[in-house]
Amino acid sequence: MASDTGSSSRLIVRAATAALLSFALLLPANAQFWGNSWGGRQQQPQQPYNPYARQPYNPYGGFWGDRQWGYGGYPQRERSSPRQRDRPREVEKEQPPDYSHAPPATPRKDATVKVVVMGDANADWLAFGLEDAFSEKPEIGIVRKHRTDSGLIRYDQRRDSEWPQVAREIIIAEKPNFVVIMIGNNDRETIREKAPPPTPANAQPIQPPAIPPPRPDSERQAVEQQHPKHTPAQARQTDYGPWEFQSEKWERAYIKRIDATIATLKSAGVPVIWVGLPSQRGTNASAESSYLNELYRSQAEKAGIVYVDIWDGFVDEDGKFSPQGPDHLGQTRRLRTSDGVYFTKFGARKLAHYVEREIEHSLSSQRVPVALPIPAEPEHPGRNGKAGGSVRPMAGPVVPLTGANVGSEQVLLGGPGESPGATVGLSTDDAVAAPSGRADNFSWPRGVVHVEPVAVEPAASDGAKSAMAAQRKSVMDAYAAQTAREQKFRGRKSRR
């Protein structure tokens, strides 16, 4: 019995060992089909669902097969968690708002005075402020002609055009009465000049006239040895760039762009106003804007156009960037947006106040006296017994109070042949002296009256002298008789 029991136990151990070995051999193959036997499954790359594409047949349905297939072999949609659905909204909230665009324009088609505002995004805010400034003057219309991301260096990356060319087209189309430009916010970058087109390969070079070779210059040879010649690539970079911002060659190239733009704007024959840049929040950005303003100011003064400096209107007492400050009415408001670059509604109105003054001043200087068509008075005879008369209108010319002052000399009584006293000429330096004793005489001491001396009578003949003596005697006799009668009358009253 013991031997049977031992043999049976050995058989069981062998069978178990064989089963384990067979299971171990079959495990790698089955893992590809049944998944990971240690609690996981192999991740298959998920392909985007296409209902029209052919899908492989899965005989095991969705229970043992891939999880992207539902029960019965039908595709199953992926379920996104609430966090995944809310992610795009969170990304949108994190993006800062765009302040580069001002509120939409309100064009005036019936305006007689057209103000065209050109430039970048700052010009858009300036035009918005000017619309508010001239809201009660329907004869003045503001036309916005700006490009938000443009500059004098590059107008548009997709178009081969620059601001002088675009400005010329705008002037021809709009025919403005005023041109205002505010630009430069996007010009703090390198400049690369356009290289001329390459010459064709079959073109024959022009042969210069034969010139005898110059004598060798020892000094020039020494300089060339110290500074060797540039390679073609270096020479091309020297001629066409790129040049770093604020470098000497960059400044020369940028000034050429400013001059070309001003020349195009002046071709319209109307007043041109160039508006400088404001301060910005970043220290470097403010310093760069101030550098550009100096270039604008110098070239505007050379060209004879108006340059408007707005820097002091958007800084604090220390000259640093300030997001708030007094508006055009003196009330403290927020003038700049949170990005420290653009303007709020109150800031745009204050920005426009600087330009509004220049436009009003130019309009007032353009006004001239207007003569009303009133019939003239009939001709009157000359004064002081002189022949000839003059024709005076019923009313004089209408002179606006805001216009230029009238000349110092003014004819009060017109007409040919009039006396010199009819023309009163007053000098701004000499005041008219008031006679002594008159109410408007403020000389000191008071009460001193100058009596004019009696004019000396001219010498007369003997007959005239005797007549005058007799006349004086008769006057004295009459005075004595009158005095005697008065004395007699007083004596009679005393006796009574």
Side-chain angles (χ1 to χ4, degrees):
M1 292 294 292
S3 61
D4 295 338
T5 303
S7 61
S8 61
S9 61
R10 284 193 295 270
L11 290 174
I12 293 173
V13 171
R14 290 176 181 176
T17 304
L20 290 174
L21 291 173
S22 60
F23 181 78
L25 293 173
L26 294 174
L27 181 62
N30 292 335
Q32 298 178 3
F33 186 81
W34 298 99
N36 190 353
S37 62
W38 301 103
R41 59 183 298 274
Q42 292 182 355
Q43 298 293 335
Q44 298 293 335
Q46 296 183 1
Q47 300 293 334
Y49 169 65
N50 185 1
Y52 301 99
R54 287 183 134 188
Q55 304 292 344
Y57 175 72
N58 187 358
Y60 295 95
F63 187 78
W64 296 102
D66 198 349
R67 290 184 181 179
Q68 67 179 350
W69 293 90
Y71 182 78
Y74 294 99
Q76 182 180 4
R77 295 182 179 178
E78 295 183 358
R79 298 180 180 179
S80 59
S81 62
R83 293 182 180 179
Q84 293 178 352
R85 289 195 300 267
D86 295 341
R87 278 181 184 176
R89 298 179 182 178
E90 293 177 357
V91 172
E92 291 179 359
K93 291 181 180 179
E94 293 176 356
Q95 294 180 355
D98 184 12
Y99 297 108
S100 61
H101 299 279
T106 55
R108 293 177 177 176
K109 298 182 180 180
D110 300 334
T112 58
V113 179
K114 188 179 294 186
V115 181
V116 175
V117 183
M118 306 181 189
D120 51 16
N122 284 334
D124 190 15
W125 282 103
L126 173 59
F128 170 71
L130 287 174
E131 291 171 0
D132 188 12
F134 295 109
S135 59
E136 298 180 357
K137 296 183 178 181
E139 70 275 8
I140 300 178
I142 309 300
V143 181
R144 302 190 192 184
K145 293 295 180 180
H146 67 281
R147 189 171 186 85
T148 302
D149 299 328
S150 66
L152 297 182
I153 297 177
R154 184 181 296 105
Y155 177 80
D156 188 1
Q157 295 181 354
R158 297 170 295 180
R159 293 176 56 185
D160 187 15
S161 58
E162 297 180 355
W163 257 113
Q165 176 185 354
V166 177
R168 186 178 296 105
E169 297 173 357
I170 294 173
I171 290 173
I172 295 174
E174 298 295 336
K175 296 178 176 59
N177 301 97
F178 290 89
V179 176
V180 183
I181 184 169
M182 185 176 184
I183 201 169
N185 215 23
N186 304 311
D187 286 341
R188 295 187 290 269
E189 59 180 13
T190 58
I191 291 180
R192 183 188 295 274
E193 295 286 359
K194 295 181 180 179
T199 56
N202 56 359
Q204 296 181 359
I206 300 175
Q207 296 293 337
I211 300 175
R215 296 180 179 179
D217 190 354
S218 58
E219 296 181 358
R220 184 175 182 180
Q221 291 177 357
V223 172
E224 290 179 354
Q225 291 177 2
Q226 295 178 0
H227 304 281
K229 295 182 179 181
H230 297 288
T231 62
Q234 293 175 347
R236 187 179 184 86
Q237 181 178 1
T238 303
D239 295 336
Y240 306 107
W243 302 310
E244 294 297 330
F245 177 62
Q246 292 186 344
S247 63
E248 183 178 356
K249 292 186 177 180
W250 185 97
E251 184 174 324
R252 293 178 182 175
Y254 194 72
I255 287 177
K256 290 182 181 179
R257 285 168 164 77
I258 298 174
D259 294 340
T261 305
I262 293 177
T264 303
L265 300 181
K266 290 181 64 178
S267 65
V270 298
V272 179
I273 303 174
W274 193 297
V275 184
L277 299 176
S279 62
Q280 297 187 15
R281 173 168 295 170
T283 305
N284 294 334
S286 291
E288 293 168 354
S289 298
S290 178
Y291 166 74
L292 293 176
N293 283 341
E294 292 301 323
L295 300 181
Y296 301 147
R297 183 198 304 273
S298 61
Q299 300 310 119
E301 292 177 353
K302 291 179 181 179
I305 65 174
V306 177
Y307 175 78
V308 177
D309 189 357
I310 63 170
W311 190 271
D312 293 339
F314 299 94
V315 294
D316 55 11
E317 296 178 355
D318 298 332
K320 298 181 180 179
F321 169 83
S322 178
Q324 61 184 7
D327 61 357
H328 71 290
L329 298 177
Q331 300 181 1
T332 302
R333 305 280 190 179
R334 185 173 182 85
L335 306 177
R336 309 296 295 275
T337 53
S338 58
D339 58 0
V341 179
Y342 301 108
F343 303 89
T344 62
K345 178 180 178 181
F346 297 103
R349 181 62 184 87
K350 184 175 183 179
L351 171 64
H353 180 67
Y354 292 90
V355 183
E356 177 190 6
R357 294 185 304 179
E358 297 295 335
I359 295 176
E360 289 287 356
H361 177 71
S362 180
L363 289 176
S364 62
S365 62
Q366 294 176 5
R367 298 189 181 103
V368 294
V370 180
L372 298 179
I374 299 177
E377 289 182 351
E379 185 174 351
H380 60 81
R383 295 181 179 87
N384 300 330
K386 296 181 180 180
S390 62
V391 179
R392 290 190 306 171
M394 297 295 294
V398 178
V399 181
L401 298 178
T402 58
N405 295 331
V406 184
S408 59
E409 292 189 359
Q410 216 171 12
V411 178
L412 302 181
L413 301 176
E418 295 293 341
S419 61
T423 303
V424 179
L426 299 180
S427 174
T428 56
D429 298 331
D430 301 334
V432 178
S436 178
R438 204 165 70 178
D440 59 346
N441 180 24
F442 301 102
S443 61
W444 191 261
R446 300 295 301 274
V448 179
V449 180
H450 299 282
V451 180
E452 296 182 358
V454 180
V456 179
E457 296 180 356
S461 60
D462 296 339
K465 289 181 179 180
S466 60
M468 291 174 62
Q471 186 178 1
R472 289 177 183 174
K473 184 177 181 181
S474 61
V475 172
M476 295 299 294
D477 292 344
Y479 178 74
Q482 180 67 23
T483 304
R485 283 194 299 270
E486 290 179 358
Q487 290 179 355
K488 288 180 181 179
F489 181 75
R490 292 174 183 173
R492 290 177 185 178
K493 282 186 178 182
S494 62
R495 288 176 185 175
R496 292 177 184 177

